[in-house]
Amino acid sequence: MESVLGIHEAALSFRARRMEVLAANLANADTPHYQARDLTFSAVLDERMSAARHLAVTDQRHIQIDPLASRETLQYRMPHQPSLDGNTVEADLELARYAENAVSYQASLLFASGKISQMRTALTGSR
Amino acid sequence: MGTFSTFDIAGSALSAQSLRLNLTASNLANMHNVAGDPAAVYRARQAVFQAARDPFGSVLAGVDVLGVIESETPPVERYDPGNPQANEDGVVYASSVNAMEEMANMISASRSYQSNLEVINTAKDLLLRTLSLGQV
């Protein structure tokens, strides 16, 4: 199925993960000393590309590392207006990013379902 | 961390913020309490939040309520011999709850509650759409 959905499957898992990260930021909007974090698309892409370069799986006992699961791609946010209690969450900006991420998720879903209906058309012909 | 951890994260924030809202209500309700003994008078209560750690070592976290602390502000001393709660010197101690502070806290808690609710609603919509992926 992965080859049918192509890159959209990976894009969906990135968006789902980012949704969790942004939800964690919003949940801790009133927690002192909480540092807001985010995933950047390019960081995940870089990690995935370098993983593809360096960690070749040549044996079936080798373990694949999922770049989305590692901590290194999570980066700390630089706040525009730091607050005195050390919290770097800016709730309105986080909400805006969350909405943007949700729209991108829906776009990936749309592409994926387009792929599926393409396959269905190919299988059933013009009937 | 599964697909539904967004719900856990935002849900923990909902319960934390509603506790904060309840504490504000309690503080405002007891704002005019008096007592003859300074130790017995009502003190403002505030919730202390902390980022919760997932037991499986994930960096993502909801929010935990560490506890509820009582304000250290001393009660206001007032001479009021007609009050039935006055001590032998005719002094009553009034609670030092600051109404402005409580209102600001209430607005902040209610806004945070709203934004977390929005997070849950959006996540629910997206997951329902994902479940119906490929259906005609």
Side-chain angles (χ1 to χ4, degrees):
Chain A
M1 213 46 203
E2 194 180 326
S3 58
V4 175
L5 292 183
I7 195 156
H8 304 304
E9 189 247 340
L12 277 176
S13 72
F14 166 73
R15 293 291 168 196
R17 175 80 174 157
R18 186 162 184 237
M19 189 163 80
E20 289 171 4
V21 175
L22 295 178
N25 286 347
L26 272 167
N28 285 293
D30 296 315
T31 309
H33 304 296
Y34 180 83
Q35 307 279 307
R37 278 169 299 195
D38 199 359
L39 283 170
T40 53
F41 190 83
S42 57
V44 175
L45 184 71
D46 280 354
E47 187 145 335
R48 206 158 253 222
M49 298 300 272
S50 65
R53 269 200 306 276
H54 300 302
L55 290 178
V57 180
T58 53
D59 189 289
Q60 60 176 355
R61 284 168 296 176
H62 287 176
I63 299 168
Q64 274 281 15
I65 296 174
D66 181 12
L68 287 179
S70 80
R71 294 158 184 233
E72 282 69 34
T73 45
L74 267 181
Q75 288 166 352
Y76 289 97
R77 172 109 59 228
M78 293 300 290
H80 297 288
Q81 296 172 50
S83 64
L84 270 179
D85 64 356
N87 184 309
T88 59
V89 179
E90 286 160 315
D92 41 358
L93 288 177
E94 297 294 339
L95 210 56
R97 288 186 190 104
Y98 187 83
E100 177 251 307
N101 190 54
V103 170
S104 303
Y105 187 96
Q106 292 202 33
S108 290
L109 267 186
L110 210 65
F111 289 132
S113 71
K115 288 272 185 190
I116 291 174
S117 61
Q118 264 178 25
M119 285 305 285
R120 188 174 281 123
T121 311
L123 285 171
T124 59
S126 54
R127 279 175 293 147
Chain B
M1 283 282 163
T3 326
F4 300 106
S5 66
T6 306
F7 294 111
D8 295 339
I9 292 168
S12 73
L14 285 188
S15 80
Q17 297 297 344
S18 75
L19 172 76
R20 201 170 149 211
L21 214 54
N22 287 341
L23 287 173
T24 304
S26 157
N27 290 347
L28 283 175
N30 289 292
M31 198 167 77
H32 296 296
N33 279 13
V34 291
D37 178 18
V41 75
Y42 182 88
R43 287 169 184 271
R45 277 148 210 200
Q46 308 289 350
V48 182
F49 292 166
Q50 189 192 37
R53 286 279 164 225
D54 181 50
F56 303 109
S58 163
V59 284
L60 289 185
V63 59
D64 255 353
V65 178
L66 208 56
V68 174
I69 53 162
E70 293 200 334
S71 159
E72 299 287 327
T73 323
V76 185
E77 199 179 312
R78 199 169 60 215
Y79 182 65
D80 190 1
N83 197 313
Q85 279 175 302
N87 59 14
E88 56 269 24
D89 302 325
V91 170
V92 290
Y93 294 91
S95 139
S96 63
V97 175
N98 184 337
M100 298 301 150
E101 214 173 273
E102 298 301 329
M103 293 306 279
N105 244 325
M106 184 187 80
I107 294 169
S108 163
S110 125
R111 290 277 180 276
S112 300
Y113 194 95
Q114 281 173 19
S115 59
N116 280 293
L117 210 57
E118 204 174 313
V119 165
I120 288 186
N121 273 330
T122 311
K124 190 191 75 184
D125 277 0
L126 290 180
L127 278 177
L128 285 179
R129 274 169 204 236
T130 315
L131 281 181
S132 63
L133 180 68
Q135 286 176 5
V136 189

